[in-house]
Amino acid sequence: MAEFESDVVFTEPNYSLDNLPIRTDQFIARPRPRHSSTESTSSGARRNPSLVAQEASHRTSESFRHALSSIGGSTLHEEAIDSPTLTQSSPKHSFGGQGSVSQASVLRGSVDTQDALHNFAPIAFERMEKEREREVRLQKHKRLPPDLMDKLQQLKMRQNKHVSWFSSLWPRRRPEDSNEDHDAKKRLANFHFPYRSDVKVFITDFKQYSAHSRECRLSETTKYMDSKPDDVQIRWIHAPIGLGPLHSTVEDLFLHRGKPGRPFKNVGRSGWPYAKVEVLNFWDRGHFQNMRDVYHLLHGDVELTKELNRECWAGFEPSLKTKGKGLLDGLRWRNTHLGLADDRQTLPDHWAASTSDVPWQITEGLLMPNYGPLDGLQPTLWQSDKQALHRHRFFGSAQLVRDAFRCFHRDDGFLLTLSGMRGVNYLDRDFKRHLDEPGDAIFDNDIASAIAFVRQQFKDTGTQNWHRATAEWLLVHLVTEIGVTPHVDRQGCNAPTLEGAYQEVIQQFKRRQHEHFDRRSPNEPAALIKDMLVCKEELRRITILSKMRQHTFEQLGMDVKDFEAEDLKQRLHPDHEDEISASEKVQNAVQRARRQSEAFEMLFEDIGMSLTSVYDLRSIQQRQGGIITEGQNRALVLIALVQFVFIPCQTLCGYWGMNLIDIRESSWAQHDFWRVCASFVLSVALSCAVVAAMHMAWQRRRSLRKEYHRGTLLFTGPANDRLDDDRNAV
C-alpha cells in the first residue's frame, strides 16, 4: 500500500487553497507514492529517477503558469512574476519552513508548487478583492438598457428613412408616436440628460486624521453650504455642472452664504477673481455620440419637451427656501436677467439646462480663457468629430474632449468646484475598461478620475499631510492635479502618452505619403491631405490649450506667493512645515505644463512640415499629369478637326443617297424617315429629362442628409409648425 511523503500545512491561515478561483488538482503537483521494499511495481522495473524528476519539474512549471493565467490573465501573470513577493525572502509568506521563491526557479520549473502557491496567494487575493470592489461599485450605477439602445437605433433609422427620395420632393408629416414609444423616449432622455434635481453632487469632509465622502442630490446641496460639523476642517462640494445659468446660480448661492476667501487676482479676472483651468479628458466614443444623438432626435418633440419641463425642476420644491433664497428663486432671476425667460416659463428649458452636460470637442468653440453663462455649448454641430487620434490602436474607442474646471472658496473652510467633466483623466492599461463604465461611476474610480483620486487620497490621513489645512491649499492641490491631465504617471507609465500617440499617427501619415503617391491611386493624395489637416487642427488646438494652462499655472503661482507673503507678514505659520507647500505644487505643475506645450508645439511643427512636403509632391504629380494631359488634348483636337470635316459630308451623302421610292414592293417614303428620327429624338430627350429630375432629387436628398448631420434639420410636425409660426410672426 502506498504511503505519501509530505503532509501540507499552511503557516498563514488567511490564504486557503479552497478559496482560490482555480482547480487545485491541476495546480498542485501530486506527491509521488513511496513503495515498500517488499512491494514490486507492475512493470517489474523501476523508472530512471532523473527522468521522473525532470517530468515532475516540467509538470509543476506548466501548472504554475496555467494558474497565473487563469487567475489574472497575462497582465496578472507579469505582475506576479515581477512581484517582490516571489523574488524576495519573506518570513510571513514562507511555506513549510522553506525560503523565498525566485523568478528564475519559477521559470525553470524547479520550484516547489505548494511554496509558489503560498507566495502567490496574497497577490491573487488582492487582485480578486479589487475586482470584487469594482463589481460592487459598478452595480450602484445604471447602464443603458438594451431596449433603450434598440429604441435609439430605431429613431436613427427612422430619421434617415424620413430623408428619402420622395420625402425630399414632397415632405409629409410623421405619424404620431404610441404611448410605448413616448415612454421609451422619455426614459432615453432621462438617462442621458437626467433631471437637474437628480444630478449627483459629491461632498467630502476633511478632518484632521480622516476624510469622509457622501453623495446628495442637487436639490439638497444648499443645506450643505450653510454649515459643517465642528471636527470638519474643510468641506469640499463638487457639482458636475457645465457652463450655463444653473452653473452661475449655484456659484452665486455658495458665495453669498459666507465670506469669500482671498481673491486670486492674477489667475482670475477683474470682477471675477477665482481660479479656473481648461481640462482635457476622454469619453467613450459610442456614449458620446449617443448623447448627442438623443438631443438631436428628441429636442424637437414638443409634447415630450413639455413633460420634461414639468418634471425637471419638481425636485427642488422641498428645499426651496434656505436662508431666505433658494436655488429656484435665483435661477428664475438669472434666467430673466439673461433674457432667456418668456411669459409662459421663467425657468430654463430642460434641454437648454441639460446641454451643459455635453463636453466640448477639441475643434468646437473658441479657446477663450473667460466664459459666461451664455457661452456654453451651442447645438449647431452635434455630429462627433472623427479625430486623428482614433487611428492609434489604444485610443480607437475614445473621444478627446475638454471641460472648464472652476473653483470657489470661502473663508470659513468651504470649497465649491463646478465642472461638467465626466471623463477619464489617468491613462493606464485598463483604459478601455474605464471608458466602458456607466454614468457617474467615474467619480468612484480613483484610478481613472482625478476628482475621485483627490476624494480618496486623504481618506486615511485627513489634513495631517497638508502644508496648510485651508481651503486655499486644497484648491491649489486640485487645480495642479487636474490641470495637467491626461497623463500616465499614476500607474507607472503602462500606457501610451497623448504626445506619443500623436507622434505615431504622424508617422503613419509619413508612410502613406511615400507609399501611395502614384497614378494608380489618384484619390489617395486628397484623402491624405484631408486627414493631415484634421490632425494639424487638433494639434493646433491642444498646443494653444497647453500654453494657456502653463500661463494659468504661472499666474496661480503669483497669487500663491502673494498669499504666502501675507501669511508671513501676519505670522501665520504652516500647519506642517515638512509637507509640500502650495507654491511647490504650482511650480511642479508649471514644469509639467511647459513640457507638454513644448512637445505638442514640436508635433505641430512636424505635421506642418509633413503637410508642406505632401503639397510639393502633389504639385509635382499634377505637373506630370498636366504634361500627359496636354499630349492627349492635342490628339483629341486633331480627331475633332477630322470629324468636323467628314461628318457633314457623311450626313448629306446618307440623306440624299436614300432611294426608298424606287425599292420594289416598298411603300416607304422620306416622311417615314423623319417620323422614325423624330420619335427617337423625343424618346432620348424625355429620358434625359427623367435622369435630370432624379439627379436633382438625389442632390436635394444629399443636402438634407448633410443638414441632418449638422443638427439644423428639425422634425416635421408640431415642432416644425411652431417654427413656421414663429417665422411668420417675425
Side-chain angles (χ1 to χ4, degrees):
M1 186 174 181
E3 298 178 1
F4 291 93
E5 293 181 343
S6 61
D7 296 327
V8 178
V9 178
F10 278 98
T11 59
E12 177 92 7
N14 294 331
Y15 310 115
S16 174
L17 294 177
D18 297 334
N19 296 330
L20 287 176
I22 58 175
R23 290 180 56 188
T24 56
D25 58 342
Q26 295 181 357
F27 182 77
I28 303 176
R30 298 183 180 276
R32 181 169 51 87
R34 182 176 59 202
H35 300 275
S36 61
S37 58
T38 58
E39 185 178 2
S40 61
T41 60
S42 59
S43 60
R46 293 182 179 273
R47 299 180 61 186
N48 191 346
S50 61
L51 295 177
V52 174
Q54 291 179 4
E55 293 178 1
S57 175
H58 179 72
R59 186 168 55 252
T60 301
S61 176
E62 294 299 327
S63 301
F64 183 68
R65 292 177 183 273
H66 174 72
L68 291 178
S69 60
S70 62
I71 294 178
S74 59
T75 303
L76 185 57
H77 183 184
E78 298 172 359
E79 178 180 333
I81 291 297
D82 297 334
S83 173
T85 308
L86 296 180
T87 58
Q88 299 176 1
S89 61
S90 176
K92 180 179 178 180
H93 296 148
S94 61
F95 177 78
Q98 300 295 330
S100 63
V101 181
S102 64
Q103 177 180 351
S105 61
V106 172
L107 296 179
R108 289 195 307 265
S110 59
V111 65
D112 185 6
T113 309
Q114 291 288 346
D115 201 4
L117 174 61
H118 187 74
N119 283 273
F120 175 68
I123 301 175
F125 275 93
E126 182 180 0
R127 186 75 173 186
M128 291 166 54
E129 189 64 26
K130 289 182 179 180
E131 291 296 327
R132 190 179 298 110
E133 292 177 357
R134 180 178 182 273
E135 293 298 330
V136 173
R137 176 171 55 84
L138 294 180
Q139 287 178 1
K140 299 188 303 180
H141 306 278
K142 59 181 180 180
R143 292 181 179 270
L144 183 64
D147 59 333
L148 293 185
M149 179 62 73
D150 296 339
K151 182 61 180 177
L152 179 58
Q153 298 299 329
Q154 293 176 7
L155 290 175
K156 292 180 182 180
M157 294 176 61
R158 184 187 303 176
Q159 182 67 11
N160 292 333
K161 186 177 180 180
H162 184 65
V163 183
S164 59
W165 292 93
F166 297 101
S167 62
S168 60
L169 297 176
W170 299 283
R172 59 182 179 181
R173 290 181 178 271
R174 281 184 46 192
E176 297 293 336
D177 295 327
S178 61
N179 294 332
E180 184 178 356
D181 293 339
H182 181 78
D183 295 339
K185 288 183 178 180
K186 182 179 177 181
R187 292 170 54 203
L188 195 60
N190 194 22
F191 178 84
H192 289 281
F193 300 96
Y195 299 141
R196 297 297 89 185
S197 58
D198 296 336
V199 173
K200 290 183 180 180
V201 177
F202 305 93
I203 301 173
T204 306
D205 292 334
F206 296 95
K207 302 180 181 179
Q208 185 175 2
Y209 299 105
S210 63
H212 302 280
S213 300
R214 65 168 63 93
E215 299 176 2
C216 70
R217 300 168 61 194
L218 183 60
S219 58
E220 305 170 350
T221 308
T222 53
K223 66 180 181 181
Y224 293 99
M225 297 180 180
D226 298 329
S227 61
K228 63 181 187 300
D230 297 335
D231 58 340
V232 175
Q233 296 180 340
I234 305 297
R235 169 166 287 181
W236 171 32
I237 303 174
H238 176 71
I241 304 174
L243 295 173
L246 182 60
H247 179 285
S248 301
T249 303
V250 174
E251 161 201 337
D252 186 64
L253 291 179
F254 174 79
L255 295 177
H256 282 79
R257 276 172 160 73
K259 181 182 178 181
R262 290 183 290 187
F264 288 84
K265 299 179 181 180
N266 295 291
V267 72
R269 68 175 187 269
S270 178
W272 200 84
Y274 304 105
K276 61 188 180 301
V277 66
E278 197 88 0
V279 184
L280 292 175
N281 55 98
F282 288 95
W283 278 46
D284 179 73
R285 285 182 64 185
H287 178 69
F288 182 75
Q289 184 59 55
N290 289 339
M291 196 174 188
R292 294 192 164 216
D293 288 340
V294 167
Y295 175 85
H296 177 67
L297 293 171
L298 301 183
H299 83 283
D301 195 327
V302 177
E303 297 299 329
L304 178 63
T305 302
K306 289 181 180 179
E307 186 173 355
L308 293 176
N309 291 339
R310 288 194 302 266
E311 300 177 2
C312 179
W313 309 103
F316 286 97
E317 297 301 333
S319 58
L320 182 61
K321 294 291 183 181
T322 306
K323 283 193 174 182
K325 186 178 181 182
L327 186 61
L328 285 187
D329 295 333
L331 191 58
R332 288 192 181 96
W333 175 87
R334 191 169 300 276
N335 203 42
T336 305
H337 175 70
L338 297 175
L340 302 177
D342 52 19
D343 298 335
R344 295 174 297 178
Q345 185 176 358
T346 58
L347 291 174
D349 183 82
H350 171 77
W351 298 109
S354 300
T355 51
S356 61
D357 293 344
V358 183
W360 293 71
Q361 298 187 94
I362 296 297
T363 57
E364 284 181 334
L366 298 176
L367 294 174
M368 298 181 298
N370 302 322
Y371 296 99
L374 297 179
D375 295 332
L377 183 65
Q378 302 297 325
T380 56
L381 181 61
W382 286 95
Q383 181 70 19
S384 61
D385 293 340
K386 186 177 181 181
Q387 299 176 348
L389 195 62
H390 298 160
R391 297 180 176 275
H392 194 275
R393 61 188 183 280
F394 188 79
F395 298 97
S397 59
Q399 188 79 13
L400 182 61
V401 299
R402 57 189 179 93
D403 293 278
F405 186 82
R406 292 182 167 188
C407 304
F408 309 91
H409 69 290
R410 298 203 312 240
D411 199 27
D412 53 355
F414 281 82
L415 174 64
L416 173 68
T417 57
L418 298 172
S419 176
M421 179 180 61
R422 298 171 182 266
V424 176
N425 301 115
Y426 301 129
L427 307 178
D428 65 342
R429 62 190 178 190
D430 296 329
F431 177 68
K432 295 182 180 180
R433 296 180 61 188
H434 301 326
L435 292 175
D436 191 51
E437 292 185 358
D440 296 330
I442 193 67
F443 294 109
D444 294 332
N445 189 351
D446 59 333
I447 301 178
S449 172
I451 295 177
F453 169 69
V454 177
R455 291 179 61 200
Q456 299 292 331
Q457 185 179 7
F458 307 104
K459 179 179 180 181
D460 300 327
T461 59
T463 61
Q464 62 178 341
N465 294 334
W466 297 15
H467 188 257
R468 292 183 182 273
T470 60
E472 295 171 354
W473 187 93
L474 179 60
L475 185 151
V476 174
H477 178 69
L478 276 169
V479 172
T480 54
E481 179 68 30
I482 297 175
V484 297
T485 57
H487 59 75
V488 297
D489 298 341
R490 277 292 317 281
Q491 297 296 323
C493 301
N494 59 354
T497 61
L498 186 61
E499 302 90 334
Y502 271 107
Q503 184 177 4
E504 185 173 339
V505 171
I506 294 175
Q507 294 299 325
Q508 294 179 10
F509 290 151
K510 291 181 179 179
R511 287 193 292 269
R512 289 174 57 186
Q513 168 185 340
H514 296 288
E515 291 176 359
H516 300 287
F517 254 93
D518 52 20
R519 293 179 58 194
R520 291 173 295 178
S521 54
N523 296 327
E524 177 62 24
L528 177 60
I529 292 175
K530 182 179 178 181
D531 295 339
M532 295 182 73
L533 287 175
V534 171
C535 183
K536 183 179 180 180
E537 178 64 17
E538 293 177 15
L539 289 175
R540 186 184 71 85
R541 294 277 184 141
I542 297 176
T543 302
I544 297 175
L545 184 60
S546 301
K547 292 182 178 180
M548 288 174 51
R549 291 196 297 187
Q550 179 183 348
H551 179 71
T552 298
F553 291 141
E554 292 174 352
Q555 299 295 324
L556 181 62
M558 297 174 60
D559 290 327
V560 169
K561 289 182 179 180
D562 293 341
F563 294 161
E564 291 179 350
E566 183 179 349
D567 293 338
L568 183 61
K569 184 178 180 180
Q570 297 179 1
R571 295 183 179 181
L572 298 176
H573 300 287
D575 298 326
H576 305 91
E577 296 183 358
D578 297 336
E579 301 298 334
I580 183 172
S581 63
S583 59
E584 294 175 345
K585 286 182 174 293
V586 174
Q587 185 178 1
N588 295 335
V590 169
Q591 294 177 358
R592 176 172 290 184
R594 183 182 296 111
R595 290 195 299 267
Q596 291 178 352
S597 62
E598 291 175 355
F600 283 111
E601 189 172 3
M602 293 176 61
L603 291 173
F604 179 71
E605 294 178 357
D606 190 9
I607 189 66
M609 295 175 62
S610 300
L611 193 58
T612 302
S613 63
V614 171
Y615 287 144
D616 295 339
L617 290 175
R618 180 65 171 170
S619 61
I620 294 173
Q621 187 184 38
Q622 289 177 350
R623 291 194 189 99
Q624 294 176 352
I627 295 174
I628 298 174
T629 304
E630 184 178 358
Q632 294 176 352
N633 291 336
R634 291 177 181 176
L636 292 176
V637 169
L638 180 60
I639 295 174
L641 290 175
V642 173
Q643 291 178 350
F644 178 77
V645 173
F646 288 100
I647 287 180
C649 298
Q650 293 176 358
T651 304
L652 293 176
C653 293
Y655 176 73
W656 297 107
M658 289 186 299
N659 193 11
L660 300 177
I661 299 178
D662 295 337
I663 298 177
R664 183 177 298 179
E665 297 180 1
S666 175
S667 61
W668 290 89
Q670 293 185 358
H671 62 273
D672 297 320
F673 168 77
W674 292 111
R675 289 176 183 176
V676 174
C677 291
S679 301
F680 178 75
V681 170
L682 290 177
S683 61
V684 171
L686 183 61
S687 301
C688 294
V690 172
V691 171
M694 294 179 63
H695 180 71
M696 293 176 59
W698 179 79
Q699 291 287 351
R700 174 62 177 168
R701 178 170 175 259
R702 185 180 180 184
S703 63
L704 290 177
R705 284 186 177 276
K706 288 184 177 180
E707 292 179 359
Y708 164 73
H709 289 299
R710 290 172 183 168
T712 58
L713 179 64
L714 298 177
F715 286 123
T716 58
N720 203 15
D721 296 339
R722 186 180 65 175
L723 182 61
D724 294 337
D725 295 338
D726 296 340
R727 290 176 178 174
N728 295 331
V730 173

